[in-house]
Amino acid sequence: MTRKERMLMAVRGEVPDVLPYAPRFDLWYRANSYLGTLPPQHRGRTADAIARAEGWGLHKIIPDFLPEGRPEDTIHRGIGLFSLRENGCRIRISPKVEVQSRQEGSTRHVEYHTPLGSIGVAEVVTEEMRRAGVSVTWLKERAIKRLEDYRVLAYIFENIEVLPDYARYAEWQAEIGDDGIACLMGPSGASPMQHIQRDLLDATEFFIEYRDHQKEVRHLAEAIGPVLEQMLSVVAGSPAEMVLWGSNFDEMITYAPYFEKEILPWLHKAGTALRDGGKAHLCHCDGENLGLLDLIRAAGIGVAEAVCPFPMTKVTMAEYYRRWGDSITIFGGIPQSLLLEETASEQDFKDYLDGFFQDIVPGTRIIVGIADTTPPNAVFDRLIRLGERVEKAGRLPLVSTGVYREVAARTASVPAPQLVADQVLHAVQNAVIDGDRDAIRLHIPALLEQGMNAHIILHEGVIPAMNVVGQQFKGGDLFIPDVLLAARAMSEAIRLLEPYLSSGERSGRGKGLIGTVAGDLHDIGKNLVAAMLRGAGLEIIDLGANVATDAFVEAVALHRPNVLALSSLLTTTMPEMREVIDAMKAAGLREKVRVVIGGAPVNAKYAADIGADGYAGDASDAVSLVQGLLAG
Ligand code: B1M
């Protein structure tokens, strides 16, 4: 049986002889080949040649978005469209839209000029990104920057044609041959709204725009819809066996009500067209899926790829298999943290695998893979041993020894929200909780005019309401947009109350600097923490993402903050936090500022190890932590 046949059988829910194994290691390969640090036995080999030499299936789901020598394939990356061979289609824009591009150093600028106006995007790939193995440019300047950009973009999308390009796809399919499934790549967002969210707006800005400018956002989504329809008909009619339609679902970013409203209907639509075209429908489910398990199942997808279980997320492999295993093929299951010495000892690695083979009994609908991909500093030997283990213990059907791991607790129990009973403050509290800045502008001046003390409005109205928001977010009852809008309403309240507060109270809440460390572009969590800290009355200077160590040190010297908050979402960038702390020591600044850290891969122990003053697991804990440190 070929590797491809095994995988296809798993996709169809049939029972191959042995579990298929197709590890994704593009990031690892690109970084190590760029740095000349591939293992000696694999020097000079392509990634596919390495997989073949090791006897693994080829993981052909996520393309390389930086193809050598074909810039035209990625020219529309800034508006979320690609014409790669893996797409099986080509994007053609009508001559009514003039497209200009220019390269300046590591940055490519692309401008679209239409009769309704112009928009521009800028994307960058730096030396540092190449060293980290990154395979897609970073959008430094997004397409939507002003309200008028919505209608310009709508015009552009109304003038797009999606043409089949099956010949190049078929060549690629033939290169892969019997060693893997050439998964054709549909659009990056599963639906028009997710397309806007992922590609056209800054990740955090989207949540605000989605609430503040519903009409414009919806109008643009309506213009994108027909382009996705065209794409669906092209991919459904293609020679592919499997199609990727839908990526990066995450219970916070594509939170359940949003997923249900904006994504689910398109997954149904795509699923129906793909099934009619005889194709398996695959989604790249690399995020935190606990709050989305039932919705993803209801979407009727065939394959969930990059499934990343506990300990990197809250859902154990056993739970995934129990909830999805009868209808969805799970491709993944090995969290990448298992491949790193820093986060998993040899014993942890072995224990995980022992449990894994029990969690997936009888082993149907499983393709063993890495979620999401192998990091550059992974212990390569673990990929090899994993392959050997699958070969040895993966004869199907698997037999149970009765081990079952429960799903991890969602969060610590959330105390019931406490609000003061005072009727006159209710309106202010509700305005904060509802994120209603206009209501704040109405109620606070009215209360001040009635003679209410600003200190009472702040401490008995505004701050308790923000605490409620933090608790409800933690408990999963409020979502990211709610928190961002509440924090914005709270900042407005503080601005209005400021002149009436005592000078001690005005200056006493403190100043903070925040940023995501070098090499790390994840900024949604950091932005949330910044918003909550602002909401709690701190003056926050946000240095952004991918902040160099020197830039942190210079900013501390310049702004003299009370607190420096560092965020990191990648195991590979965690060490940057220690670098920042060490550099501050060297500059004689460490004693002058409290350093706090957060982000998915770090914890309290790590904070202590690197000499930070504290760790917070989420945005509301960050507020309590910082307030505690400032009070102490
Ligand atoms: Co990426 N990504 N990503 N990604 N991404 C993760 C983090 C990953 C866990 C996915 C996975 O493997 N399942 C994985 C990291 C694995 C690891 O190293 N441990 C990963 C990877 C591998 C990558 C790339 C390398 C993928 C690739 O190229 N193959 C690449 C790296 C790019 C780079 O940074 N150089 C990459 C890219 C991206 C996107 C650009 C597509 C996008 C980021 C968009 C953006 O931020 N502007 C993205 C996303 C969205 C994710 C997931 C799906 C979601 C992250 C998120 O925003 N969550 C994520 C999967 C996951 O986390 N399970 C994943 C919502 C947010 C509110 O939560 O950020 O955790 P979070 O923040 C929380 C807390 O952590 C805490 O409070 C926040 C609010 O409660 N917190 C702090 C955060 N910072 C704090 C600071 C504090 C205190 C608390 O200071 C005191």
Side-chain angles (χ1 to χ4, degrees):
M1 195 175 289
T2 67
R3 290 177 228 301
K4 179 175 175 178
E5 277 165 356
R6 270 189 201 138
M7 286 193 221
L8 284 174
M9 285 184 81
V11 167
R12 291 192 294 260
E14 296 162 6
V15 187
D17 52 350
V18 69
L19 279 173
Y21 174 52
R24 179 177 172 199
F25 59 97
D26 54 344
L27 204 68
W28 174 90
Y29 175 79
R30 291 172 67 90
N32 286 287
S33 121
Y34 191 72
L35 298 170
T37 49
L38 288 176
Q41 73 273 26
H42 291 311
R43 298 237 162 103
R45 283 186 170 148
T46 61
D48 289 357
I50 294 177
R52 286 186 168 114
E54 295 291 352
W56 306 333
L58 302 187
H59 181 281
K60 292 291 175 184
I61 314 290
I62 307 288
D64 177 355
F65 294 101
L66 296 170
E68 289 294 322
R70 287 194 64 99
E72 67 276 18
D73 287 3
T74 57
I75 182 94
H76 303 305
R77 184 267 191 269
I79 57 168
L81 299 171
F82 290 91
S83 302
L84 300 162
R85 59 185 185 165
E86 291 88 344
N87 293 112
C89 66
R90 214 157 35 84
I91 302 299
R92 186 159 73 194
I93 300 196
S94 140
K96 287 193 267 179
V97 179
E98 194 193 337
V99 184
Q100 291 173 346
S101 85
R102 64 179 201 285
Q103 190 75 34
E104 276 172 14
S106 57
T107 305
R108 175 164 72 172
H109 298 268
V110 181
E111 284 165 11
Y112 298 81
H113 302 286
T114 79
L116 301 185
S118 302
I119 58 131
V121 297
E123 49 176 327
V124 66
V125 54
T126 60
E127 166 68 15
E128 203 179 41
M129 287 166 72
R130 287 190 196 277
R131 291 167 77 88
V134 169
S135 60
V136 65
T137 55
W138 172 47
L139 278 181
K140 185 164 89 170
E141 205 189 290
R142 298 262 169 180
I144 301 174
K145 294 181 274 294
R146 300 156 307 171
L147 203 52
E148 40 292 19
D149 294 340
Y150 283 98
R151 62 190 197 114
V152 177
L153 271 158
Y155 183 89
I156 296 170
F157 276 91
E158 280 155 9
N159 282 284
I160 284 179
E161 234 184 310
V162 183
L163 307 167
D165 187 5
Y166 299 152
R168 285 174 70 215
Y169 167 79
E171 271 171 35
W172 177 60
Q173 199 178 33
E175 270 172 35
I176 295 167
D178 285 335
D179 293 324
I181 307 174
C183 183
L184 191 144
M185 161 110 190
S188 48
S191 68
M193 195 56 80
Q194 205 197 0
H195 190 94
I196 298 174
Q197 176 180 25
R198 281 182 47 108
D199 296 309
L200 304 182
L201 270 162
D202 165 77
T204 308
E205 199 60 28
F206 169 78
F207 296 115
I208 306 269
E209 290 290 288
Y210 183 62
R211 294 284 176 94
D212 275 3
H213 298 123
Q214 291 177 24
K215 199 168 88 210
E216 289 79 5
V217 175
R218 189 68 56 200
H219 174 238
L220 176 55
E222 278 161 15
I224 295 173
V227 175
L228 296 198
E229 306 260 9
Q230 289 183 61
M231 207 175 271
L232 186 54
S233 116
V234 171
V235 301
S238 74
E241 284 137 330
M242 191 156 77
V243 172
L244 165 58
W245 192 288
S247 289
N248 299 126
F249 305 143
D250 177 274
E251 66 169 15
M252 284 218 210
I253 298 173
T254 56
Y255 51 96
Y258 169 83
F259 186 96
E260 194 165 6
K261 181 171 178 200
E262 306 289 0
I263 295 179
L264 193 59
W266 271 84
L267 289 179
H268 281 142
K269 187 194 290 225
T272 307
L274 294 175
R275 261 190 309 279
D276 290 351
K279 281 134 195 42
H281 177 189
L282 175 144
C283 290
H284 181 70
C285 299
D286 67 332
E288 177 57 73
N289 289 318
L290 184 61
L292 298 175
L293 285 174
D294 291 337
L295 285 169
I296 293 176
R297 187 186 159 89
I301 68 170
V303 185
E305 186 263 345
V307 170
C308 185
F310 185 81
M312 268 183 69
T313 64
K314 295 179 223 156
V315 188
T316 61
M317 191 60 207
E319 184 70 4
Y320 266 123
Y321 201 51
R322 191 170 68 81
R323 303 272 285 270
W324 285 357
D326 62 337
S327 64
I328 301 179
T329 297
I330 298 174
F331 191 159
I334 309 295
Q336 56 175 298
S337 57
L338 260 282
L339 304 176
L340 298 171
E341 255 159 10
E342 298 88 326
T343 43
S345 66
E346 280 299 316
Q347 192 59 42
D348 295 335
F349 178 65
K350 186 182 164 301
D351 290 349
Y352 184 86
L353 294 192
D354 289 347
F356 177 78
F357 283 95
Q358 286 306 302
D359 290 343
I360 58 167
V361 167
T364 36
R365 288 202 180 275
I366 292 280
I367 301 175
V368 181
I370 308 301
D372 143 84
T373 183
T374 306
N377 52 341
V379 182
F380 185 71
D381 191 50
R382 290 192 188 171
L383 280 189
I384 298 177
R385 275 182 281 141
L386 182 52
E388 288 165 357
R389 182 88 189 248
V390 170
E391 202 60 41
K392 211 166 93 198
R395 293 265 138 216
L396 295 178
L398 303 177
V399 181
S400 171
T401 57
V403 180
Y404 176 75
R405 291 184 288 183
E406 278 299 330
V407 64
R410 186 183 175 107
T411 48
S413 69
V414 177
Q418 295 286 322
L419 288 178
V420 288
D422 196 331
Q423 289 297 324
V424 291
L425 286 172
H426 269 167
V428 169
Q429 293 173 335
N430 288 340
V432 172
I433 294 169
D434 295 343
D436 190 341
R437 191 168 50 175
D438 292 340
I440 287 285
R441 286 176 180 155
L442 199 75
H443 295 309
I444 291 203
L447 288 179
L448 288 169
E449 212 158 284
Q450 285 162 28
M452 186 173 267
N453 185 302
H455 177 91
I456 301 222
I457 302 176
L458 180 65
H459 289 277
E460 293 181 23
V462 178
I463 291 178
M466 198 61 202
N467 289 339
V468 169
V469 171
Q471 293 301 331
Q472 291 192 349
F473 176 60
K474 215 180 170 78
D477 299 321
L478 286 183
F479 305 103
I480 293 183
D482 306 308
V483 178
L484 292 172
L485 292 176
R488 188 175 72 171
M490 172 142 181
S491 298
E492 183 65 5
I494 289 170
R495 192 185 68 77
L496 293 166
L497 292 170
E498 198 97 61
Y500 303 89
L501 295 171
S502 68
S503 59
E505 212 164 6
R506 252 177 280 158
S507 59
R509 285 188 303 273
K511 188 198 269 188
L513 276 183
I514 191 165
T516 308
V517 296
D520 202 324
L521 300 173
H522 295 87
D523 64 359
I524 301 173
K526 180 267 298 168
N527 292 347
L528 216 53
V529 173
M532 289 280 284
L533 289 173
R534 279 197 189 106
L538 273 94
E539 179 192 346
I540 295 294
I541 300 166
D542 187 348
L543 300 175
N546 188 21
V547 181
T549 297
D550 290 351
F552 276 118
V553 175
E554 279 161 28
V556 168
L558 179 70
H559 299 290
R560 301 279 163 182
N562 310 89
V563 180
L564 171 65
L566 303 174
S567 176
S568 155
L569 262 279
L570 295 171
T571 14
T572 44
T573 59
M574 283 164 62
E576 296 292 332
M577 294 178 153
R578 187 193 291 273
E579 299 269 315
V580 174
I581 292 176
D582 290 349
M584 296 229 303
K585 280 185 195 150
L589 292 167
R590 177 64 187 92
E591 299 311 317
K592 298 187 167 45
V593 63
R594 304 298 194 124
V595 181
V596 291
I597 66 166
V602 299
N603 54 27
K605 180 179 175 306
Y606 188 71
D609 287 352
I610 64 171
D613 295 299
Y615 155 81
D618 59 38
S620 76
D621 284 355
V623 172
S624 324
L625 172 71
V626 168
Q627 284 174 335
L629 285 170
L630 292 185

